[in-house]
Amino acid sequence: MARVILGVTGGIAAYKACELCRLLAKAGHEVTPVLTADAERFVTAHTFEALARRESPRELYPHLLEADLLVVAPLSANTLAKLAQGIADNVLTQTALAFRGRVLVAPAMNVRMWEHPATQANAALLTERGVELIGPEEGELAEGETGLGRMTEPEEIFTRCRVLLGDGGPLRGRHVLVSAGGTREPIDAVRFVGNRSSGRMGVAVAEEARRRGASVTLLAANLGVRVPPGIDVVQTPTAGDMAREALARRNETDVVVMTAAVADYRPAEAEEGKRPKSEDDWTVRLEPTQDILRELGESRSNGQILVGFAADTGDAGLVRARAKLERKRADLIVFNDIARAGIGFDAADNEVVLISRDGERAVPRSRKEAIAAVVLDAVEDLL
Ligand SMILES: Cc1cc2nc3c(=O)[nH]c(=O)nc-3n(C[C@H](O)[C@H](O)[C@H](O)COP(=O)(O)O)c2cc1C
C-alpha cells in the first residue's frame, strides 16, 4: 500500500478523476484527494472522499509531504503554469512545491491552450525537472473540436501510477546498483585528473530500473545531470569512494550496472594545499586504481547480474570489450565507440553493442533513455 495524493483541477475531465480515485483506492492505496476551488465547480470533494473510502486527514499538510506519489489529473493549463513557475496559492500548488517525491501529471485542455507556446514552455520546464507528463491524447474535445488535449484515460493513468509506485513492475523486489558520472582524482587541493562523462547514461539506467519497480541506488561521481526523485543517491567523487561504496553493497544487490567512467589511474600522491604556480616542470606519477568490476565479478553471489560499460574506440576497442566480458566475469558488456561524433561522452545519444555469452546485438544510435531500456530488457532476460 502506498500513499497517493490525487490533485484535481478545474477542467471538464475532472469527472474522470473520480474513476482514477476509485481504481487507486481499490488497489489498496491510501488516496488523499486535493481539489482546487475551480475543480469543485465540476465535481465535489465529497465524491472523492467517498471513493477514497476515507475522510481527509485533519492535519493535511504534513500528511501530504510524506506521500509516495503526487498525481494531478486533470491538470489545467492554469495549474500547469503555476507548477512551472513555483506559484503556491492553494493547497494543491503548495503541496506540489513542497513535495519531493514522484510527480505524475495528466494535462487536459483545449488544443489551442495546449499548443500555445506558453503552455509548451511550461510543460517542457516540468519535464526537465523530472515531473512525468502522461498525455494529453489526440481526440474529440469538449468544445466539439478535435486535436491534442484529451486527458489520458483513467485506467492508463492508474497503470502508470502502479509502475511509479513499484507495484507490478518487472523488477519489483529487486535491488539495482548503478554507477554514473566520471571520477575526479585529486592532484592537489583544487586540481584533479578527470574525464568528460556527464552521468547521463547511468542516470537513464537508474531511472528506467526505478520505472520497472526496482529499488535503485545510484553511485554518483560528479554528475552533470539531475537525478529524478525516487532514487537513493550516494556521492562517490573518486575511484576510491566508488570502489568502497560498490563493494559494501555487493551482497544486497541483484543487479549491478557500472556505467561510470572510473579513473584507471590516479595521482600516487595528492598535494595537500594548492601547489603554487612556478616556472618549474611538475611531474605527477599515476598509479592504477582498484578494478571495481573485476572485484565484483570475482566475489559475486549466486544469481547476481553484472553489467559493465566499455568506452573505447574502433574495432580494436570492440575486441577489447569482448575480452572484458570474460576477464571481469560479467554477464553483459555494453560497448560504445567514443571516437564517433555526437554519441557517448557528454552527449544525449549513444550507439552501443551489447556483448553477452549468448551473442552480440548492435543497437543503432538512440537517446540514452532508449539505450537504458534495451540494457534492462537484456538484464531481465538474464534474470
Ligand atoms: C466549462 C469549463 C471547462 C473548462 N475546461 C478546462 C480544461 O479542460 N482545461 C483547462 O486547462 N481549463 C479549463 N477551464 C478553465 C479553468 O477552469 C480555469 O483556467 C481555472 O482557473 C482553472 O483553475 P485551477 O487550475 O485552479 O483548477 C474550463 C472552464 C470552464 C468554465
Side-chain angles (χ1 to χ4, degrees), residues 41-255:
R41 293 164 63 202
F42 295 86
V43 286
T44 73
H46 283 312
T47 312
F48 283 89
E49 276 174 24
L51 291 168
R53 300 181 197 153
R54 59 196 288 273
E55 279 181 30
S56 289
R58 216 177 291 157
E59 272 292 313
L60 194 59
Y61 197 62
H63 182 84
L64 298 184
L65 298 188
E66 285 170 9
D68 303 294
L69 175 71
L70 165 63
V71 45
V72 186
L75 175 66
S76 65
N78 178 54
T79 299
L80 175 73
K82 288 183 189 176
L83 298 187
Q85 300 308 318
I87 293 170
D89 63 348
N90 60 41
V91 179
L92 177 58
T93 50
Q94 283 161 21
T95 303
L97 199 57
F99 188 60
R100 291 290 171 269
R102 297 290 311 174
V103 182
L104 174 69
V105 298
M109 64 198 71
N110 170 280
V111 57
R112 274 171 286 176
M113 289 167 90
W114 173 249
E115 286 177 351
H116 194 284
T119 306
Q120 287 301 303
N122 289 332
L125 206 57
L126 289 185
T127 307
E128 207 174 287
R129 287 195 204 121
V131 171
E132 183 172 329
L133 273 73
I134 184 166
E137 314 291 335
E138 183 100 32
E140 201 173 314
L141 304 173
E143 299 82 0
E145 290 178 288
T146 47
L148 262 186
R150 271 175 79 92
M151 187 177 93
T152 301
E153 289 305 318
E155 290 76 13
E156 205 177 315
I157 301 174
F158 170 63
T159 304
R160 192 69 206 138
C161 291
R162 288 189 63 186
V163 173
L164 290 174
L165 292 166
D167 177 14
L171 292 178
R172 183 183 177 199
R174 304 284 192 175
H175 196 141
V176 177
L177 181 70
V178 184
S179 73
T183 61
R184 292 178 179 177
E185 311 305 322
I187 304 176
D188 68 8
V190 294
R191 301 176 177 97
F192 57 83
V193 178
N195 61 69
R196 288 192 294 117
S197 174
S198 62
R200 257 196 211 103
M201 190 64 241
V203 170
V205 170
E207 168 69 346
E208 183 60 25
R210 196 203 48 74
R211 272 178 207 274
R212 296 178 186 214
S215 71
V216 182
T217 302
L218 182 71
L219 304 181
N222 313 295
L223 299 185
V225 292
R226 217 186 50 83
V227 181
I231 293 168
D232 183 22
V233 180
V234 180
Q235 300 296 341
T236 51
T238 68
D241 296 327
M242 184 76 84
R244 187 186 64 246
E245 298 297 334
L247 296 172
R249 289 170 174 78
R250 63 184 141 188
N251 294 332
E252 62 204 44
T253 301
D254 301 297
V255 180

Side-chain angles (χ1 to χ4, degrees), residues 204-382:
V205 170
E207 168 69 346
E208 183 60 25
R210 196 203 48 74
R211 272 178 207 274
R212 296 178 186 214
S215 71
V216 182
T217 302
L218 182 71
L219 304 181
N222 313 295
L223 299 185
V225 292
R226 217 186 50 83
V227 181
I231 293 168
D232 183 22
V233 180
V234 180
Q235 300 296 341
T236 51
T238 68
D241 296 327
M242 184 76 84
R244 187 186 64 246
E245 298 297 334
L247 296 172
R249 289 170 174 78
R250 63 184 141 188
N251 294 332
E252 62 204 44
T253 301
D254 301 297
V255 180
V256 182
V257 186
M258 301 296 282
T259 79
V262 180
D264 294 322
Y265 296 93
R266 66 166 161 239
E269 281 153 31
E271 294 194 19
E272 267 192 16
K274 178 183 177 231
R275 182 189 169 100
K277 183 176 168 149
S278 84
E279 296 299 311
D280 302 333
D281 287 354
W282 178 13
T283 304
V284 176
R285 190 170 65 82
L286 301 177
E287 64 179 15
T289 56
Q290 208 172 341
D291 189 333
I292 306 173
L293 195 59
R294 204 195 64 217
E295 287 195 32
L296 288 171
E298 280 169 359
S299 65
R300 71 175 151 160
S301 48
N302 271 351
Q304 187 181 67
I305 303 298
L306 190 57
V307 182
F309 271 61
D312 208 328
T313 52
D315 290 342
L318 183 56
V319 171
R320 276 191 289 273
R322 285 180 189 130
K324 193 170 174 177
L325 183 76
E326 295 310 327
R327 205 174 62 250
K328 314 269 174 151
R329 300 189 199 175
D331 299 292
L332 186 68
I333 295 290
V334 184
F335 167 70
N336 67 304
D337 189 342
I338 49 171
R340 312 270 294 274
I343 62 164
F345 269 47
D346 206 13
D349 291 355
N350 216 347
E351 183 180 324
V352 301
V353 181
L354 302 192
I355 305 166
S356 72
R357 286 186 187 77
D358 295 334
E360 291 180 15
R361 178 176 166 204
V363 185
R365 180 171 175 166
S366 331
R367 305 280 302 170
K368 285 182 173 168
E369 289 75 13
I371 302 274
V374 175
V375 170
L376 286 174
D377 285 347
V379 166
E380 278 178 26
D381 287 347
L382 289 163

